[in-house]
Every structure is written in structure tokens, then in C-alpha cells.
Amino acid sequence: MKLPVEVASIELSDDLQELRVDGRVFKPSTRLVGDLKPVLASSVDESLQGEPAYFMFRSVSRAVDEQLFKCLCLRYDITVIPPRVLGEEFVKTFGHYHPTPYGDLSYPEVYEVLVGEAHYILQREERGAIKDIVVVRAREGDKVLIPPNYGHVTVNPSSKILVMANLVSSTFKSIYEPYKAKRGAALYELADGRLLANEEYGETPRYREEKPLRNLPGAAGGDLYTSFLKNPLAYRFLNNPLLTPRVW
């Protein structure tokens, strides 16, 4: 499968085990169905525990661009989520928060849907309580900015494969424990399309919906990889949360 990236030839193998970028070969880290057990709304057949839920290709780039990403402390990743229903839910990522580099703002992140569609469930917590829940429904070519202080989960809500890219700081490790402690996000997206509140959070505000972006404010047009190469400094906010553009 050739991915829609203008400046580079990026191809995903049919078995999803290899990504080729202008001849460079990348292998994925694999999240198994069993790994998602702590964050699922309901149990999944034990026979599925060892099957892959999604594939994560980290620090993807052409050889000629690798040093630029490193110098700016940024990482371009590609995540592949095949269609699947896990118990009552659509397949999803585990969910995580980002740490704060300084002050009280955490690192932001940018996603782009390359193939398929994705639902991003974002949540902001203060003093142990959820203060805001946002759902963004994105299709091919759409971009989603994860603002500072929002945890997030990505759902593949369709019968087709989801391939998404993300651009994020390379200087930190994601924080998964809060999602594990609460059995997932504040909302579960069920296979019948309903969004179900996670009772582990107690009382939470009603979720709101926001639209995805076609281009980030101040950034060049095109797919995320191409946009970054055209104007790398437009993405400096990924290491300086104070510079994050307001999108909603």
C-alpha cells in the first residue's frame, strides 16, 4: 500500500510488518489485543489475546531528512490499526497523556489520517477530575492537534484499515498509567456507534465535538511530512507548549 505522502515514497507491506521509505526499511512495535485488556469496556475472547491490535512504526524518515528531525528533537511516526471489534468496542489505542517540560503545560502532538478514518477522544483532567472531553472525527487528509494537557485515544470506527501519522517531540515518554487505572478513557466507542461513559471516572461533563483541520495555523499545506519539510519551524511548538496554536 503506497501512502499519500508527497515528498517521499512510503509503502506499507501487505502483512503490515514492514514500512519502506525511499528504500529504507522500518519494522513495527506491535500492541497485542491482550495488551489492551486493562483499558477495554468488556472482556475479549482469550483466543484473541495474542493477536495484533495495531502496529507502530517509530521515527520514520528518509535518510536525507533524519538529521533535521533529530536536530529539532521531533519524531514522525506511522500507526496502523486494522479493523476489529474488541468485545463491545471498536479497536482503539491504549491511550496516554504527555508530561510537562516546564510549568503546567504538557507537550502537544499532531496527527494526520493517511488512510481510512479515525475518531480521537481527548480528555483534560484537573485535580483528579475530568473537566473536558472532546471527540474529533477525522478522515483522510485531516489533521488533529492534541493541545497541551489533553490525554487521548484513537479509535478505528470502520471496517477498513486506519493508517495515521503523527509528529511529536522525541524528548519524552508517554504516560499510560492514568488510563490503565481507570480502565481506559472517559468514553468508550461501542461497535454500534454509541459513546458510552466510563463509570470509573464518576461524574464527567458531556463530551463536545470539534472539527479536524486540513492545515495547521502557520504551517505549510500538504500532508504532515511534506508540511514539516516546507516549514520546520512552524512545528517548534511541539517542544514549546506555550507556542501551541489555538484551534478550538
Side-chain angles (χ1 to χ4, degrees):
M1 178 192 303
K2 185 173 177 57
L3 301 183
V5 175
E6 179 185 344
V7 297
S9 174
I10 302 183
E11 295 190 24
L12 179 66
S13 64
D14 291 341
D15 63 2
L16 311 182
Q17 294 296 319
E18 188 173 282
L19 194 71
R20 289 187 174 272
V21 183
D22 282 10
R24 304 182 82 193
V25 176
F26 295 85
K27 298 290 186 178
S29 297
T30 304
R31 184 83 75 179
L32 302 177
V33 170
D35 297 331
L36 296 179
K37 186 176 180 179
V39 296
L40 295 177
S42 59
S43 60
V44 176
D45 192 299
E46 287 296 323
S47 65
L48 301 177
Q49 301 298 310
E51 294 193 13
Y54 56 94
F55 306 89
M56 300 168 287
F57 296 88
R58 303 299 195 197
S59 298
V60 172
S61 74
R62 301 182 301 180
V64 69
D65 304 323
E66 185 173 14
Q67 196 59 37
L68 176 61
F69 282 102
K70 287 183 177 180
C71 286
L72 296 179
C73 296
L74 295 176
R75 198 181 76 214
Y76 179 86
D77 306 327
I78 289 178
T79 301
V80 181
I81 310 179
R84 185 189 286 275
V85 174
L86 300 177
E88 300 178 78
E89 294 177 85
F90 284 120
V91 63
K92 64 184 180 182
T93 58
F94 195 96
H96 64 265
Y97 287 90
H98 299 165
T100 56
Y102 50 82
D104 58 0
L105 294 178
S106 69
Y107 289 96
E109 187 169 4
V110 181
Y111 281 89
E112 178 185 31
V113 177
L114 295 172
V115 177
E117 60 181 298
H119 292 171
Y120 295 88
I121 301 176
L122 289 68
Q123 60 189 56
R124 179 170 57 82
E125 181 178 326
E126 292 181 11
R127 299 185 180 90
I130 297 297
K131 297 298 184 180
D132 191 25
I133 304 173
V134 180
V135 176
V136 183
R137 304 174 191 268
R139 296 183 178 274
E140 293 178 13
D142 287 339
K143 299 174 180 67
V144 176
L145 172 62
I146 309 297
N149 299 342
Y150 280 82
H152 54 99
V153 164
T154 306
V155 179
N156 179 353
S158 76
S159 59
K160 298 180 180 180
I161 193 170
L162 165 61
V163 183
M164 62 182 182
N166 67 278
L167 194 60
V168 69
S169 172
S170 60
T171 64
F172 70 85
K173 292 184 178 180
S174 297
I175 303 170
Y176 297 94
E177 288 74 14
Y179 280 84
K180 185 176 181 179
K182 295 288 190 179
R183 291 199 61 82
L187 289 179
Y188 298 116
E189 182 161 7
L190 305 186
D192 63 7
R194 287 184 295 143
L195 290 169
L196 178 68
N198 180 350
E199 295 180 354
E200 293 289 331
Y201 286 87
E203 186 175 351
T204 58
R206 177 170 174 76
Y207 74 88
R208 58 192 176 90
E209 299 214 20
E210 294 290 347
K211 293 182 179 180
L213 306 168
R214 295 307 289 186
N215 292 296
L216 284 175
D223 63 85
L224 189 57
Y225 194 105
T226 302
S227 173
F228 169 74
L229 290 185
K230 287 180 177 178
N231 186 5
L233 293 182
Y235 293 92
R236 65 189 184 278
F237 70 90
L238 293 171
N239 277 299
N240 186 347
L242 287 171
L243 301 178
T244 306
R246 290 288 299 271
V247 295
W248 36 260

